[in-house]
Amino acid sequence: MSILVVGSVAFDDIQTPFGKAERCLGGSATYFSVAASFFTDVDLVAVVGDDFSDRDMEIFRGRRINTGGLQRVSGAKTFFWSGEYGYDLNVAKTLDTRLNVFGEFRPQLNERQRKARVLFLANIHPELQMDVLHQTERPKLVALDTMNLWIATKRDALEKAFSEVDLVVINDAETRQFTGETNIVKGARKILDLGPHTIVIKRGEYGVLMITRNSAFAVPAYPLENVFDPTGAGDTFAGGFLGYLTSRQEHNDRELRRAIIFGSVLASFTVEKFSLDRLREITLDNIYERYRAFRALTHFEDFDAS
Amino acid sequence: MSILVVGSVAFDDIQTPFGKAERCLGGSATYFSVAASFFTDVDLVAVVGDDFSDRDMEIFRGRRINTGGLQRVSGAKTFFWSGEYGYDLNVAKTLDTRLNVFGEFRPQLNERQRKARVLFLANIHPELQMDVLHQTERPKLVALDTMNLWIATKRDALEKAFSEVDLVVINDAETRQFTGETNIVKGARKILDLGPHTIVIKRGEYGVLMITRNSAFAVPAYPLENVFDPTGAGDTFAGGFLGYLTSRQEHNDRELRRAIIFGSVLASFTVEKFSLDRLREITLDNIYERYRAFRALTHFEDFDAS
């Protein structure tokens, strides 16, 4: 069983109230792959320039990540993002985006990749997302992330993309932007009406809300005393969520809920240090331990009125 | 077993994106009393003017609310608040506040009130809160709410008040304002350091976080498709929370968590209509039903890695 992800591998300049990191490793597919690889085999499809060194590649080594689909383009530079956070760590301000090698990226899947059990279309142009989907032999589960830029500029393509996937991962501001609904539950229903059976709404420090046609599941974020850098939290969440799901036979409500917790656990680690520094350190045991901490944080007993 | 509440009974003018209500019943002690009275006997200490009619009194009738401590002052007007909400229903904009009869309010507790098992000091001047506390025979549990105004103008008195109570109910913006900490967990610890054993942080549509010296409990708000008027949600929460606790022999972690859910349940009803209109309609059965819905919303299973 494996999961295929297509998205960005990038270098980031990041500034938070607690410090600054330059040209550190980032990108949606990077965070996603590392998080998912704790649970399952990952097939990474992305592109880098020749400034992406052998040392940079180390993040993928010794993990269940197949980098055969990571193209390297000579004479070009890796995707670059620069962003800044104020004390409200829920909101990133983009200072600079340079697509570089990513501007011409047209992924071609190989035989193995086309047979992936689960597909995650990380935040890239919705037409590119659909191009990748149409190359596959329709995975059992197809999930898609997006961003405010595509909602504003590629709305029709995005609506089409929503209609072809099973699951949408999106944040609350994007849900409001896309649907025009201030009420998040109504917004979620509007997206479900386009086709997906499940929508997972990321709410930053407030946790996650998952809505299907007949159920809702809500979980707070793990309350951390030290949130250092929120970059990549959403993609890490998606990696933990879908990585765990890929490893399970069933994708029923019980497993979807556990998957949301595993995604939240992974994201709670990511924000503790810059870039993927914290994800590099942790083990499956750390993950299971924080899963239990999530239970302790959220559990309450039935009440019997009789 | 009874709970004593001191706070405001008021008339409100409210405007939300969904409608407008004029001179409707409001006030912290009103919402609190009605919510708490589903679980326990409530002793209400507050003041109104002679514009508070017999019909207005109906909200308290047929409930477990003793209104012997509700003073009526002739020739004066009831406390009045006017506020407005935009689409972000988490933030109220105060348009007008007229203390009226509340400006001269100096409550005198009677014998029964002094022996209350639980005391809730709703959001009034912190010195007045302490004056009431000092008249009691130290209840088993004393809880206090406050607001941005007192944090800005009566900081020393408020800090003293915090040091004399067991439990603080506060919202996240006030926690940040009082402590200067952007991180909510660090802020909560700073308030616990002043004396209370428990802090309950209200986060509007994002739910509630309860932090004690050695545990944390987090619960999302009930995701509603129709949030109509958030006025009184916090006081209703406090009423359900402390009302349930008062009805229990033990105030251990298990009961505190259940109490948080009951508070959240009551608040989720309040916001569905203007003023106390929804609270007027519901029964204990409705409350128990939504408690079970909260379990369904938040429950997930252990994960056994072996």
Side-chain angles (χ1 to χ4, degrees):
Chain A
M1 288 174 299
S2 80
I3 186 166
L4 176 66
V5 53
V6 52
S8 62
V9 171
F11 291 123
D12 294 339
D13 277 5
I14 296 162
Q15 189 150 2
T16 82
F18 317 109
K20 200 173 165 167
E22 287 186 359
R23 207 176 172 280
C24 60
L25 199 57
S28 58
T30 316
Y31 283 103
F32 182 93
S33 299
V34 171
S37 70
F38 283 101
F39 302 103
T40 195
D41 295 316
V42 181
D43 233 309
L44 168 65
V45 172
V47 62
V48 291
D50 52 13
D51 55 346
F52 199 83
S53 72
D54 221 48
R55 228 188 95 219
D56 295 320
M57 284 296 290
E58 267 173 26
I59 186 71
F60 302 118
R61 288 202 194 103
R63 300 182 186 276
R64 299 168 68 179
I65 302 175
N66 188 319
T67 54
L70 181 62
Q71 291 175 41
R72 179 186 298 262
V73 178
S74 303
K77 283 190 163 180
T78 300
F79 180 67
F80 173 80
W81 179 78
S82 167
E84 188 181 34
Y85 301 86
Y87 282 101
D88 179 357
L89 294 168
N90 294 303
V91 185
K93 183 182 167 194
T94 292
L95 301 175
D96 193 7
T97 303
R98 294 182 214 156
L99 285 181
N100 296 334
V101 72
F102 213 81
E104 302 295 310
F105 181 46
R106 294 291 170 278
Q108 294 300 321
L109 303 189
N110 65 30
E111 194 65 22
R112 193 191 60 246
Q113 290 159 351
R114 281 197 280 270
K115 292 182 195 304
R117 179 180 159 85
V118 174
L119 169 63
F120 182 61
L121 302 160
N123 165 31
I124 51 175
H125 191 302
E127 282 167 9
L128 203 50
Q129 290 178 320
M130 287 306 95
D131 179 55
V132 171
L133 173 57
H134 296 157
Q135 291 180 50
T136 64
E137 298 174 8
R138 196 52 172 85
K140 180 174 170 182
L141 181 69
V142 178
L144 166 156
D145 191 5
T146 193
M147 70 181 293
N148 50 8
L149 174 67
W150 310 127
I151 296 172
T153 63
K154 302 287 167 192
R155 201 195 152 80
D156 290 349
L158 185 58
E159 200 164 314
K160 177 101 179 24
F162 281 163
S163 77
E164 295 200 34
V165 304
D166 305 301
L167 192 147
V168 169
V169 180
I170 194 168
N171 73 35
D172 43 7
E174 290 156 1
T175 306
R176 293 192 170 104
Q177 184 191 358
F178 181 78
T179 64
E181 280 288 349
T182 51
N183 181 286
I184 206 77
V185 183
K186 283 186 184 166
R189 299 226 180 278
K190 277 196 176 174
I191 292 177
L192 290 182
D193 285 346
L194 296 175
H197 61 61
T198 303
I199 174 166
V200 175
I201 300 171
K202 300 172 287 179
R203 312 169 109 181
E205 73 166 296
Y206 300 114
V208 175
L209 180 61
M210 173 170 68
I211 297 187
T212 68
R213 296 218 178 84
N214 47 34
S215 82
F217 177 57
V219 64
Y222 195 75
L224 294 164
E225 292 207 36
N226 291 296
V227 178
F228 198 77
D229 169 21
T231 308
D235 298 306
T236 306
F237 166 82
F241 172 64
L242 290 172
Y244 172 78
L245 263 190
T246 305
S247 76
R248 309 309 284 180
Q249 273 309 317
E250 306 221 45
H251 294 174
N252 55 20
D253 190 57
R254 182 177 69 178
E255 295 297 4
L256 278 163
R257 287 173 179 233
R258 281 179 172 156
I260 292 282
I261 303 302
F262 277 115
S264 304
V265 163
L266 268 296
S268 77
F269 283 117
T270 288
V271 302
E272 290 180 331
K273 293 195 173 178
F274 270 129
S275 183
L276 292 101
D277 291 358
R278 189 74 179 106
L279 284 186
R280 284 178 200 265
E281 298 170 347
I282 59 168
T283 64
L284 254 180
D285 278 348
N286 298 136
I287 292 169
Y288 292 145
E289 188 185 355
R290 193 163 284 180
Y291 185 100
R292 289 189 293 273
F294 252 97
R295 278 276 295 179
L297 171 73
T298 59
H299 181 73
F300 60 93
E301 291 182 28
D302 284 327
F303 177 74
D304 183 1
S306 60
Chain B
M1 288 174 298
S2 79
I3 185 164
L4 176 66
V5 53
V6 53
S8 61
V9 171
F11 291 123
D12 294 339
D13 277 5
I14 296 162
Q15 190 151 0
T16 80
F18 317 109
K20 200 173 166 167
E22 286 185 0
R23 208 175 170 280
C24 60
L25 199 58
S28 58
T30 315
Y31 284 103
F32 182 94
S33 300
V34 172
S37 70
F38 283 101
F39 303 103
T40 193
D41 294 316
V42 181
D43 232 311
L44 168 65
V45 172
V47 64
V48 290
D50 51 14
D51 55 347
F52 199 84
S53 72
D54 221 49
R55 229 188 93 216
D56 295 321
M57 283 296 289
E58 267 173 26
I59 187 71
F60 302 118
R61 288 201 196 104
R63 302 182 185 275
R64 300 167 69 180
I65 301 176
N66 188 320
T67 54
L70 181 62
Q71 290 175 44
R72 181 187 297 260
V73 179
S74 305
K77 283 191 161 180
T78 300
F79 180 67
F80 173 80
W81 179 78
S82 167
E84 188 182 36
Y85 302 84
Y87 282 100
D88 179 357
L89 294 167
N90 294 302
V91 185
K93 182 180 168 197
T94 292
L95 300 175
D96 193 7
T97 303
R98 294 181 214 154
L99 285 182
N100 295 335
V101 71
F102 212 80
E104 302 294 310
F105 182 46
R106 293 292 171 275
Q108 294 299 321
L109 303 188
N110 66 29
E111 195 63 24
R112 193 190 61 247
Q113 292 160 350
R114 281 197 281 271
K115 292 184 195 302
R117 179 179 157 86
V118 174
L119 169 62
F120 182 61
L121 302 159
N123 166 30
I124 51 175
H125 192 302
E127 281 165 11
L128 202 52
Q129 290 178 320
M130 288 305 95
D131 179 54
V132 171
L133 173 58
H134 296 156
Q135 291 180 49
T136 65
E137 297 175 7
R138 194 55 171 86
K140 181 173 168 182
L141 180 69
V142 179
L144 168 155
D145 190 6
T146 192
M147 71 183 290
N148 50 7
L149 174 69
W150 311 127
I151 296 172
T153 63
K154 301 288 167 191
R155 200 194 154 80
D156 290 350
L158 185 59
E159 199 164 316
K160 177 100 180 25
F162 281 163
S163 76
E164 295 200 35
V165 304
D166 304 302
L167 193 146
V168 169
V169 180
I170 193 168
N171 74 35
D172 43 7
E174 291 157 1
T175 305
R176 293 194 170 102
Q177 182 191 0
F178 181 79
T179 63
E181 281 287 351
T182 52
N183 182 287
I184 207 76
V185 183
K186 283 186 183 166
R189 299 227 179 278
K190 277 196 176 175
I191 292 176
L192 290 181
D193 285 346
L194 296 174
H197 61 61
T198 303
I199 174 166
V200 174
I201 300 171
K202 299 171 289 179
R203 312 170 110 181
E205 72 166 294
Y206 300 114
V208 176
L209 180 61
M210 174 170 67
I211 297 187
T212 68
R213 296 218 177 83
N214 48 35
S215 83
F217 176 57
V219 65
Y222 194 76
L224 294 165
E225 291 206 36
N226 291 295
V227 179
F228 198 77
D229 170 20
T231 308
D235 298 307
T236 306
F237 166 82
F241 172 63
L242 290 172
Y244 172 77
L245 264 190
T246 305
S247 75
R248 309 307 285 179
Q249 275 308 316
E250 307 219 47
H251 294 175
N252 55 21
D253 189 58
R254 184 177 66 177
E255 295 297 4
L256 279 163
R257 287 174 179 232
R258 281 179 173 156
I260 293 282
I261 303 301
F262 277 115
S264 305
V265 163
L266 267 298
S268 77
F269 283 117
T270 288
V271 302
E272 290 179 331
K273 292 195 175 179
F274 269 129
S275 184
L276 292 100
D277 290 358
R278 188 75 178 106
L279 285 185
R280 284 179 201 263
E281 298 170 345
I282 60 168
T283 65
L284 255 181
D285 278 347
N286 298 137
I287 293 170
Y288 294 145
E289 188 186 354
R290 194 163 284 181
Y291 186 100
R292 290 189 293 273
F294 253 97
R295 279 276 297 178
L297 172 73
T298 59
H299 180 73
F300 61 93
E301 291 181 29
D302 286 327
F303 178 75
D304 182 3
S306 60

